[in-house]
Amino acid sequence: MYSRWTFALSLLAAVAAPADAFVSPKSTPLSAPTTQSTALYMGPPIDPNAPITEKVGEGSRKYRRTVFTHDDWVQFRSSDRFAKNLKTLFNSGIYRSVAKEITATVTVATVVCLWNAIAGGYQGIGGEMHDPVIPGLMKIGLPMNTFTILNSSLGLLLVFRTNKSYGRWDEARKFWGLNINHTRDLCRMGT
């Protein structure tokens, strides 16, 4: 009895609603065809007054694209991607989020290198040794024993982090496969 009433009400709603499915679209010959883009803008905010945390770093995560299409894959695998990556290196979000640290490190390394060349001399490209520009200054340096001792612990730290990240990736892959299998099971049960 319930299914008969449901069928009757749905049939009545279908008949009462206007059906434009088989009507040809109205077009005026003088108007230019309009194109509509169905793509959503998923990039960082275009507003120049937006805070920097919304443009780079963790704040921009919500604006990132979540679907990697075939066209994106073709563009990613193109043979000129290396030149494109070099041209856009300073515009990347990763670089912009660590630009201060990179600038500080490069500045300190350049100052130490120039100081040691001025104070202790330097070796030219041809292999000839040049005298110090200002003799009597002390060279800047760190003892190598510290780095030699810390190399093994740094190596173990990197290995453990790599293994842990691979473990997380593998667990996510297993859960994704389980999710797909459960979805297929639900589809089979629904048909």
Side-chain angles (χ1 to χ4, degrees), residues 117-156:
I118 291 171
Y122 61 95
Q123 184 176 3
I125 296 175
E128 67 276 359
M129 194 63 188
H130 296 275
D131 292 332
V133 177
I134 304 174
L137 292 178
M138 218 169 125
K139 289 175 68 173
I140 301 173
L142 293 174
M144 289 303 292
N145 293 339
T146 309
F147 297 108
T148 306
I149 293 170
L150 292 178
N151 270 345
S152 57
S153 60
L154 180 63
L156 287 174

PDB file of all heavy atoms in Angstrom, residues 117-156:
ATOM      1  N   ALA A 117      89.229  33.840   2.934  1.00  0.00           N
ATOM      2  CA  ALA A 117      90.044  34.169   1.760  1.00  0.00           C
ATOM      3  C   ALA A 117      90.883  35.408   2.021  1.00  0.00           C
ATOM      4  O   ALA A 117      92.043  35.485   1.604  1.00  0.00           O
ATOM      5  CB  ALA A 117      89.148  34.388   0.548  1.00  0.00           C
ATOM      6  N   ILE A 118      90.336  36.391   2.736  1.00  0.00           N
ATOM      7  CA  ILE A 118      91.079  37.616   3.056  1.00  0.00           C
ATOM      8  C   ILE A 118      92.138  37.348   4.132  1.00  0.00           C
ATOM      9  O   ILE A 118      93.265  37.816   4.047  1.00  0.00           O
ATOM     10  CB  ILE A 118      90.109  38.732   3.509  1.00  0.00           C
ATOM     11  CG1 ILE A 118      89.261  39.187   2.332  1.00  0.00           C
ATOM     12  CG2 ILE A 118      90.857  39.909   4.117  1.00  0.00           C
ATOM     13  CD1 ILE A 118      88.124  40.119   2.721  1.00  0.00           C
ATOM     14  N   ALA A 119      91.789  36.556   5.149  1.00  0.00           N
ATOM     15  CA  ALA A 119      92.684  36.356   6.297  1.00  0.00           C
ATOM     16  C   ALA A 119      93.709  35.253   6.074  1.00  0.00           C
ATOM     17  O   ALA A 119      94.821  35.326   6.603  1.00  0.00           O
ATOM     18  CB  ALA A 119      91.863  36.049   7.543  1.00  0.00           C
ATOM     19  N   GLY A 120      93.356  34.208   5.329  1.00  0.00           N
ATOM     20  CA  GLY A 120      94.272  33.077   5.224  1.00  0.00           C
ATOM     21  C   GLY A 120      94.738  32.773   3.825  1.00  0.00           C
ATOM     22  O   GLY A 120      95.414  31.779   3.600  1.00  0.00           O
ATOM     23  N   GLY A 121      94.355  33.557   2.881  1.00  0.00           N
ATOM     24  CA  GLY A 121      94.724  33.279   1.503  1.00  0.00           C
ATOM     25  C   GLY A 121      93.722  32.341   0.854  1.00  0.00           C
ATOM     26  O   GLY A 121      92.811  31.817   1.504  1.00  0.00           O
ATOM     27  N   TYR A 122      93.898  32.140  -0.431  1.00  0.00           N
ATOM     28  CA  TYR A 122      92.975  31.267  -1.162  1.00  0.00           C
ATOM     29  C   TYR A 122      93.695  30.633  -2.332  1.00  0.00           C
ATOM     30  O   TYR A 122      94.752  31.070  -2.758  1.00  0.00           O
ATOM     31  CB  TYR A 122      91.748  32.042  -1.655  1.00  0.00           C
ATOM     32  CG  TYR A 122      92.071  33.171  -2.598  1.00  0.00           C
ATOM     33  CD1 TYR A 122      92.026  32.984  -3.973  1.00  0.00           C
ATOM     34  CD2 TYR A 122      92.426  34.428  -2.109  1.00  0.00           C
ATOM     35  CE1 TYR A 122      92.341  34.017  -4.836  1.00  0.00           C
ATOM     36  CE2 TYR A 122      92.728  35.462  -2.974  1.00  0.00           C
ATOM     37  CZ  TYR A 122      92.685  35.249  -4.334  1.00  0.00           C
ATOM     38  OH  TYR A 122      92.991  36.265  -5.185  1.00  0.00           O
ATOM     39  N   GLN A 123      93.063  29.567  -2.827  1.00  0.00           N
ATOM     40  CA  GLN A 123      93.627  28.850  -3.961  1.00  0.00           C
ATOM     41  C   GLN A 123      92.859  29.243  -5.210  1.00  0.00           C
ATOM     42  O   GLN A 123      91.630  29.179  -5.249  1.00  0.00           O
ATOM     43  CB  GLN A 123      93.528  27.342  -3.727  1.00  0.00           C
ATOM     44  CG  GLN A 123      94.179  26.523  -4.799  1.00  0.00           C
ATOM     45  CD  GLN A 123      94.132  25.038  -4.474  1.00  0.00           C
ATOM     46  OE1 GLN A 123      93.575  24.639  -3.477  1.00  0.00           O
ATOM     47  NE2 GLN A 123      94.731  24.249  -5.336  1.00  0.00           N
ATOM     48  N   GLY A 124      93.561  29.661  -6.236  1.00  0.00           N
ATOM     49  CA  GLY A 124      92.936  30.096  -7.472  1.00  0.00           C
ATOM     50  C   GLY A 124      92.416  28.919  -8.289  1.00  0.00           C
ATOM     51  O   GLY A 124      92.603  27.748  -7.941  1.00  0.00           O
ATOM     52  N   ILE A 125      91.776  29.241  -9.405  1.00  0.00           N
ATOM     53  CA  ILE A 125      91.206  28.208 -10.263  1.00  0.00           C
ATOM     54  C   ILE A 125      92.303  27.342 -10.876  1.00  0.00           C
ATOM     55  O   ILE A 125      92.145  26.141 -11.029  1.00  0.00           O
ATOM     56  CB  ILE A 125      90.335  28.858 -11.363  1.00  0.00           C
ATOM     57  CG1 ILE A 125      89.151  29.568 -10.720  1.00  0.00           C
ATOM     58  CG2 ILE A 125      89.840  27.817 -12.357  1.00  0.00           C
ATOM     59  CD1 ILE A 125      88.287  30.334 -11.682  1.00  0.00           C
ATOM     60  N   GLY A 126      93.433  27.938 -11.193  1.00  0.00           N
ATOM     61  CA  GLY A 126      94.533  27.190 -11.785  1.00  0.00           C
ATOM     62  C   GLY A 126      95.330  26.379 -10.779  1.00  0.00           C
ATOM     63  O   GLY A 126      96.242  25.653 -11.146  1.00  0.00           O
ATOM     64  N   GLY A 127      95.004  26.481  -9.485  1.00  0.00           N
ATOM     65  CA  GLY A 127      95.701  25.722  -8.465  1.00  0.00           C
ATOM     66  C   GLY A 127      96.778  26.511  -7.757  1.00  0.00           C
ATOM     67  O   GLY A 127      97.401  26.020  -6.816  1.00  0.00           O
ATOM     68  N   GLU A 128      97.034  27.753  -8.182  1.00  0.00           N
ATOM     69  CA  GLU A 128      98.069  28.546  -7.530  1.00  0.00           C
ATOM     70  C   GLU A 128      97.547  29.096  -6.204  1.00  0.00           C
ATOM     71  O   GLU A 128      96.388  29.454  -6.092  1.00  0.00           O
ATOM     72  CB  GLU A 128      98.533  29.690  -8.438  1.00  0.00           C
ATOM     73  CG  GLU A 128      97.514  30.776  -8.707  1.00  0.00           C
ATOM     74  CD  GLU A 128      96.541  30.458  -9.836  1.00  0.00           C
ATOM     75  OE1 GLU A 128      96.648  29.391 -10.462  1.00  0.00           O
ATOM     76  OE2 GLU A 128      95.658  31.286 -10.070  1.00  0.00           O
ATOM     77  N   MET A 129      98.416  29.157  -5.211  1.00  0.00           N
ATOM     78  CA  MET A 129      98.051  29.628  -3.878  1.00  0.00           C
ATOM     79  C   MET A 129      98.347  31.125  -3.775  1.00  0.00           C
ATOM     80  O   MET A 129      99.444  31.575  -4.096  1.00  0.00           O
ATOM     81  CB  MET A 129      98.845  28.839  -2.839  1.00  0.00           C
ATOM     82  CG  MET A 129      98.343  28.984  -1.440  1.00  0.00           C
ATOM     83  SD  MET A 129      96.689  28.318  -1.334  1.00  0.00           S
ATOM     84  CE  MET A 129      96.279  28.812   0.292  1.00  0.00           C
ATOM     85  N   HIS A 130      97.360  31.895  -3.329  1.00  0.00           N
ATOM     86  CA  HIS A 130      97.503  33.336  -3.173  1.00  0.00           C
ATOM     87  C   HIS A 130      97.712  33.671  -1.698  1.00  0.00           C
ATOM     88  O   HIS A 130      97.135  33.029  -0.813  1.00  0.00           O
ATOM     89  CB  HIS A 130      96.268  34.067  -3.702  1.00  0.00           C
ATOM     90  CG  HIS A 130      96.059  33.886  -5.172  1.00  0.00           C
ATOM     91  ND1 HIS A 130      96.691  34.673  -6.102  1.00  0.00           N
ATOM     92  CD2 HIS A 130      95.305  33.004  -5.871  1.00  0.00           C
ATOM     93  CE1 HIS A 130      96.332  34.290  -7.315  1.00  0.00           C
ATOM     94  NE2 HIS A 130      95.477  33.270  -7.202  1.00  0.00           N
ATOM     95  N   ASP A 131      98.509  34.692  -1.437  1.00  0.00           N
ATOM     96  CA  ASP A 131      98.763  35.132  -0.063  1.00  0.00           C
ATOM     97  C   ASP A 131      97.535  35.841   0.496  1.00  0.00           C
ATOM     98  O   ASP A 131      96.700  36.356  -0.256  1.00  0.00           O
ATOM     99  CB  ASP A 131      99.959  36.089  -0.029  1.00  0.00           C
ATOM    100  CG  ASP A 131     101.260  35.367  -0.361  1.00  0.00           C
ATOM    101  OD1 ASP A 131     101.339  34.152  -0.090  1.00  0.00           O
ATOM    102  OD2 ASP A 131     102.176  36.026  -0.908  1.00  0.00           O
ATOM    103  N   PRO A 132      97.428  35.885   1.851  1.00  0.00           N
ATOM    104  CA  PRO A 132      96.302  36.620   2.447  1.00  0.00           C
ATOM    105  C   PRO A 132      96.363  38.109   2.090  1.00  0.00           C
ATOM    106  O   PRO A 132      97.441  38.685   1.955  1.00  0.00           O
ATOM    107  CB  PRO A 132      96.480  36.417   3.949  1.00  0.00           C
ATOM    108  CG  PRO A 132      97.704  35.627   4.157  1.00  0.00           C
ATOM    109  CD  PRO A 132      98.269  35.254   2.835  1.00  0.00           C
ATOM    110  N   VAL A 133      95.197  38.703   1.931  1.00  0.00           N
ATOM    111  CA  VAL A 133      95.113  40.119   1.607  1.00  0.00           C
ATOM    112  C   VAL A 133      95.513  40.949   2.822  1.00  0.00           C
ATOM    113  O   VAL A 133      96.271  41.920   2.709  1.00  0.00           O
ATOM    114  CB  VAL A 133      93.690  40.494   1.134  1.00  0.00           C
ATOM    115  CG1 VAL A 133      93.566  41.977   0.853  1.00  0.00           C
ATOM    116  CG2 VAL A 133      93.300  39.675  -0.073  1.00  0.00           C
ATOM    117  N   ILE A 134      95.007  40.571   4.003  1.00  0.00           N
ATOM    118  CA  ILE A 134      95.351  41.243   5.250  1.00  0.00           C
ATOM    119  C   ILE A 134      96.009  40.200   6.155  1.00  0.00           C
ATOM    120  O   ILE A 134      95.330  39.420   6.808  1.00  0.00           O
ATOM    121  CB  ILE A 134      94.101  41.836   5.934  1.00  0.00           C
ATOM    122  CG1 ILE A 134      93.365  42.774   4.984  1.00  0.00           C
ATOM    123  CG2 ILE A 134      94.495  42.565   7.213  1.00  0.00           C
ATOM    124  CD1 ILE A 134      92.057  43.286   5.521  1.00  0.00           C
ATOM    125  N   PRO A 135      97.350  40.140   6.198  1.00  0.00           N
ATOM    126  CA  PRO A 135      97.997  39.143   7.035  1.00  0.00           C
ATOM    127  C   PRO A 135      97.829  39.467   8.521  1.00  0.00           C
ATOM    128  O   PRO A 135      97.662  40.604   8.913  1.00  0.00           O
ATOM    129  CB  PRO A 135      99.467  39.214   6.618  1.00  0.00           C
ATOM    130  CG  PRO A 135      99.627  40.455   5.844  1.00  0.00           C
ATOM    131  CD  PRO A 135      98.276  40.926   5.435  1.00  0.00           C
ATOM    132  N   GLY A 136      97.828  38.424   9.321  1.00  0.00           N
ATOM    133  CA  GLY A 136      97.714  38.592  10.761  1.00  0.00           C
ATOM    134  C   GLY A 136      96.310  38.370  11.287  1.00  0.00           C
ATOM    135  O   GLY A 136      96.115  38.251  12.496  1.00  0.00           O
ATOM    136  N   LEU A 137      95.294  38.322  10.430  1.00  0.00           N
ATOM    137  CA  LEU A 137      93.928  38.039  10.897  1.00  0.00           C
ATOM    138  C   LEU A 137      93.758  36.538  11.103  1.00  0.00           C
ATOM    139  O   LEU A 137      94.377  35.725  10.421  1.00  0.00           O
ATOM    140  CB  LEU A 137      92.893  38.537   9.882  1.00  0.00           C
ATOM    141  CG  LEU A 137      92.771  40.039   9.696  1.00  0.00           C
ATOM    142  CD1 LEU A 137      91.741  40.342   8.622  1.00  0.00           C
ATOM    143  CD2 LEU A 137      92.374  40.700  10.995  1.00  0.00           C
ATOM    144  N   MET A 138      92.902  36.191  12.045  1.00  0.00           N
ATOM    145  CA  MET A 138      92.661  34.792  12.336  1.00  0.00           C
ATOM    146  C   MET A 138      91.572  34.232  11.418  1.00  0.00           C
ATOM    147  O   MET A 138      90.567  34.902  11.167  1.00  0.00           O
ATOM    148  CB  MET A 138      92.193  34.660  13.792  1.00  0.00           C
ATOM    149  CG  MET A 138      92.710  33.469  14.506  1.00  0.00           C
ATOM    150  SD  MET A 138      92.333  33.673  16.234  1.00  0.00           S
ATOM    151  CE  MET A 138      91.463  32.189  16.487  1.00  0.00           C
ATOM    152  N   LYS A 139      91.772  33.032  10.909  1.00  0.00           N
ATOM    153  CA  LYS A 139      90.749  32.392  10.067  1.00  0.00           C
ATOM    154  C   LYS A 139      89.605  31.885  10.939  1.00  0.00           C
ATOM    155  O   LYS A 139      89.809  31.541  12.098  1.00  0.00           O
ATOM    156  CB  LYS A 139      91.365  31.223   9.292  1.00  0.00           C
ATOM    157  CG  LYS A 139      92.304  31.661   8.196  1.00  0.00           C
ATOM    158  CD  LYS A 139      92.994  30.508   7.521  1.00  0.00           C
ATOM    159  CE  LYS A 139      92.033  29.683   6.729  1.00  0.00           C
ATOM    160  NZ  LYS A 139      92.693  28.643   5.936  1.00  0.00           N
ATOM    161  N   ILE A 140      88.404  31.867  10.377  1.00  0.00           N
ATOM    162  CA  ILE A 140      87.217  31.367  11.082  1.00  0.00           C
ATOM    163  C   ILE A 140      87.020  29.911  10.685  1.00  0.00           C
ATOM    164  O   ILE A 140      87.065  29.561   9.509  1.00  0.00           O
ATOM    165  CB  ILE A 140      85.968  32.178  10.696  1.00  0.00           C
ATOM    166  CG1 ILE A 140      86.150  33.645  11.032  1.00  0.00           C
ATOM    167  CG2 ILE A 140      84.734  31.630  11.391  1.00  0.00           C
ATOM    168  CD1 ILE A 140      85.027  34.524  10.519  1.00  0.00           C
ATOM    169  N   GLY A 141      86.770  29.050  11.671  1.00  0.00           N
ATOM    170  CA  GLY A 141      86.534  27.644  11.359  1.00  0.00           C
ATOM    171  C   GLY A 141      85.984  26.887  12.546  1.00  0.00           C
ATOM    172  O   GLY A 141      86.034  27.358  13.694  1.00  0.00           O
ATOM    173  N   LEU A 142      85.443  25.748  12.283  1.00  0.00           N
ATOM    174  CA  LEU A 142      84.949  24.851  13.326  1.00  0.00           C
ATOM    175  C   LEU A 142      85.760  23.568  13.276  1.00  0.00           C
ATOM    176  O   LEU A 142      86.170  23.131  12.201  1.00  0.00           O
ATOM    177  CB  LEU A 142      83.464  24.540  13.092  1.00  0.00           C
ATOM    178  CG  LEU A 142      82.490  25.700  13.252  1.00  0.00           C
ATOM    179  CD1 LEU A 142      81.097  25.266  12.843  1.00  0.00           C
ATOM    180  CD2 LEU A 142      82.482  26.205  14.684  1.00  0.00           C
ATOM    181  N   PRO A 143      85.976  22.933  14.437  1.00  0.00           N
ATOM    182  CA  PRO A 143      86.726  21.675  14.417  1.00  0.00           C
ATOM    183  C   PRO A 143      85.920  20.566  13.751  1.00  0.00           C
ATOM    184  O   PRO A 143      84.703  20.484  13.901  1.00  0.00           O
ATOM    185  CB  PRO A 143      86.955  21.381  15.904  1.00  0.00           C
ATOM    186  CG  PRO A 143      85.904  22.145  16.618  1.00  0.00           C
ATOM    187  CD  PRO A 143      85.593  23.340  15.774  1.00  0.00           C
ATOM    188  N   MET A 144      86.573  19.736  12.989  1.00  0.00           N
ATOM    189  CA  MET A 144      85.895  18.665  12.261  1.00  0.00           C
ATOM    190  C   MET A 144      85.502  17.500  13.172  1.00  0.00           C
ATOM    191  O   MET A 144      84.659  16.682  12.802  1.00  0.00           O
ATOM    192  CB  MET A 144      86.786  18.147  11.127  1.00  0.00           C
ATOM    193  CG  MET A 144      86.918  19.127   9.985  1.00  0.00           C
ATOM    194  SD  MET A 144      85.334  19.607   9.272  1.00  0.00           S
ATOM    195  CE  MET A 144      84.820  18.096   8.529  1.00  0.00           C
ATOM    196  N   ASN A 145      86.091  17.404  14.362  1.00  0.00           N
ATOM    197  CA  ASN A 145      85.761  16.298  15.271  1.00  0.00           C
ATOM    198  C   ASN A 145      84.282  16.298  15.634  1.00  0.00           C
ATOM    199  O   ASN A 145      83.649  15.241  15.731  1.00  0.00           O
ATOM    200  CB  ASN A 145      86.611  16.375  16.544  1.00  0.00           C
ATOM    201  CG  ASN A 145      88.070  16.132  16.260  1.00  0.00           C
ATOM    202  OD1 ASN A 145      88.404  15.541  15.227  1.00  0.00           O
ATOM    203  ND2 ASN A 145      88.933  16.595  17.144  1.00  0.00           N
ATOM    204  N   THR A 146      83.709  17.468  15.838  1.00  0.00           N
ATOM    205  CA  THR A 146      82.288  17.568  16.196  1.00  0.00           C
ATOM    206  C   THR A 146      81.420  16.974  15.094  1.00  0.00           C
ATOM    207  O   THR A 146      80.509  16.184  15.365  1.00  0.00           O
ATOM    208  CB  THR A 146      81.907  19.042  16.411  1.00  0.00           C
ATOM    209  OG1 THR A 146      82.824  19.633  17.308  1.00  0.00           O
ATOM    210  CG2 THR A 146      80.506  19.169  16.937  1.00  0.00           C
ATOM    211  N   PHE A 147      81.699  17.317  13.861  1.00  0.00           N
ATOM    212  CA  PHE A 147      80.888  16.821  12.743  1.00  0.00           C
ATOM    213  C   PHE A 147      81.112  15.319  12.531  1.00  0.00           C
ATOM    214  O   PHE A 147      80.183  14.597  12.173  1.00  0.00           O
ATOM    215  CB  PHE A 147      81.201  17.596  11.465  1.00  0.00           C
ATOM    216  CG  PHE A 147      80.853  19.044  11.580  1.00  0.00           C
ATOM    217  CD1 PHE A 147      81.838  19.999  11.685  1.00  0.00           C
ATOM    218  CD2 PHE A 147      79.535  19.449  11.601  1.00  0.00           C
ATOM    219  CE1 PHE A 147      81.525  21.337  11.796  1.00  0.00           C
ATOM    220  CE2 PHE A 147      79.203  20.784  11.714  1.00  0.00           C
ATOM    221  CZ  PHE A 147      80.201  21.736  11.822  1.00  0.00           C
ATOM    222  N   THR A 148      82.336  14.856  12.757  1.00  0.00           N
ATOM    223  CA  THR A 148      82.626  13.429  12.599  1.00  0.00           C
ATOM    224  C   THR A 148      81.856  12.611  13.618  1.00  0.00           C
ATOM    225  O   THR A 148      81.299  11.561  13.296  1.00  0.00           O
ATOM    226  CB  THR A 148      84.144  13.180  12.763  1.00  0.00           C
ATOM    227  OG1 THR A 148      84.838  14.025  11.855  1.00  0.00           O
ATOM    228  CG2 THR A 148      84.486  11.740  12.490  1.00  0.00           C
ATOM    229  N   ILE A 149      81.780  13.087  14.846  1.00  0.00           N
ATOM    230  CA  ILE A 149      81.055  12.364  15.897  1.00  0.00           C
ATOM    231  C   ILE A 149      79.549  12.405  15.642  1.00  0.00           C
ATOM    232  O   ILE A 149      78.842  11.417  15.833  1.00  0.00           O
ATOM    233  CB  ILE A 149      81.407  12.952  17.278  1.00  0.00           C
ATOM    234  CG1 ILE A 149      82.875  12.665  17.604  1.00  0.00           C
ATOM    235  CG2 ILE A 149      80.502  12.388  18.363  1.00  0.00           C
ATOM    236  CD1 ILE A 149      83.386  13.396  18.815  1.00  0.00           C
ATOM    237  N   LEU A 150      79.041  13.547  15.197  1.00  0.00           N
ATOM    238  CA  LEU A 150      77.598  13.698  15.013  1.00  0.00           C
ATOM    239  C   LEU A 150      77.085  13.064  13.716  1.00  0.00           C
ATOM    240  O   LEU A 150      75.872  12.903  13.567  1.00  0.00           O
ATOM    241  CB  LEU A 150      77.217  15.173  15.045  1.00  0.00           C
ATOM    242  CG  LEU A 150      77.384  15.866  16.401  1.00  0.00           C
ATOM    243  CD1 LEU A 150      77.014  17.324  16.272  1.00  0.00           C
ATOM    244  CD2 LEU A 150      76.528  15.189  17.443  1.00  0.00           C
ATOM    245  N   ASN A 151      77.960  12.713  12.776  1.00  0.00           N
ATOM    246  CA  ASN A 151      77.515  12.139  11.502  1.00  0.00           C
ATOM    247  C   ASN A 151      76.729  10.850  11.689  1.00  0.00           C
ATOM    248  O   ASN A 151      75.701  10.638  11.041  1.00  0.00           O
ATOM    249  CB  ASN A 151      78.709  11.886  10.584  1.00  0.00           C
ATOM    250  CG  ASN A 151      79.008  13.084   9.724  1.00  0.00           C
ATOM    251  OD1 ASN A 151      78.201  13.987   9.602  1.00  0.00           O
ATOM    252  ND2 ASN A 151      80.186  13.097   9.144  1.00  0.00           N
ATOM    253  N   SER A 152      77.192   9.958  12.570  1.00  0.00           N
ATOM    254  CA  SER A 152      76.501   8.678  12.748  1.00  0.00           C
ATOM    255  C   SER A 152      75.121   8.883  13.357  1.00  0.00           C
ATOM    256  O   SER A 152      74.142   8.257  12.930  1.00  0.00           O
ATOM    257  CB  SER A 152      77.339   7.738  13.609  1.00  0.00           C
ATOM    258  OG  SER A 152      77.611   8.347  14.856  1.00  0.00           O
ATOM    259  N   SER A 153      75.011   9.772  14.356  1.00  0.00           N
ATOM    260  CA  SER A 153      73.693   9.998  14.951  1.00  0.00           C
ATOM    261  C   SER A 153      72.750  10.682  13.963  1.00  0.00           C
ATOM    262  O   SER A 153      71.555  10.368  13.916  1.00  0.00           O
ATOM    263  CB  SER A 153      73.818  10.822  16.233  1.00  0.00           C
ATOM    264  OG  SER A 153      74.395  12.067  15.941  1.00  0.00           O
ATOM    265  N   LEU A 154      73.273  11.588  13.155  1.00  0.00           N
ATOM    266  CA  LEU A 154      72.447  12.239  12.139  1.00  0.00           C
ATOM    267  C   LEU A 154      71.973  11.232  11.091  1.00  0.00           C
ATOM    268  O   LEU A 154      70.813  11.250  10.667  1.00  0.00           O
ATOM    269  CB  LEU A 154      73.224  13.370  11.471  1.00  0.00           C
ATOM    270  CG  LEU A 154      72.482  14.155  10.384  1.00  0.00           C
ATOM    271  CD1 LEU A 154      71.287  14.865  10.995  1.00  0.00           C
ATOM    272  CD2 LEU A 154      73.418  15.134   9.722  1.00  0.00           C
ATOM    273  N   GLY A 155      72.864  10.322  10.690  1.00  0.00           N
ATOM    274  CA  GLY A 155      72.488   9.275   9.744  1.00  0.00           C
ATOM    275  C   GLY A 155      71.401   8.374  10.291  1.00  0.00           C
ATOM    276  O   GLY A 155      70.434   8.033   9.593  1.00  0.00           O
ATOM    277  N   LEU A 156      71.528   7.957  11.568  1.00  0.00           N
ATOM    278  CA  LEU A 156      70.490   7.120  12.178  1.00  0.00           C
ATOM    279  C   LEU A 156      69.167   7.862  12.277  1.00  0.00           C
ATOM    280  O   LEU A 156      68.096   7.281  12.039  1.00  0.00           O
ATOM    281  CB  LEU A 156      70.938   6.649  13.565  1.00  0.00           C
ATOM    282  CG  LEU A 156      72.018   5.582  13.579  1.00  0.00           C
ATOM    283  CD1 LEU A 156      72.481   5.319  15.000  1.00  0.00           C
ATOM    284  CD2 LEU A 156      71.495   4.301  12.949  1.00  0.00           C
TER     285      LEU A 156
END
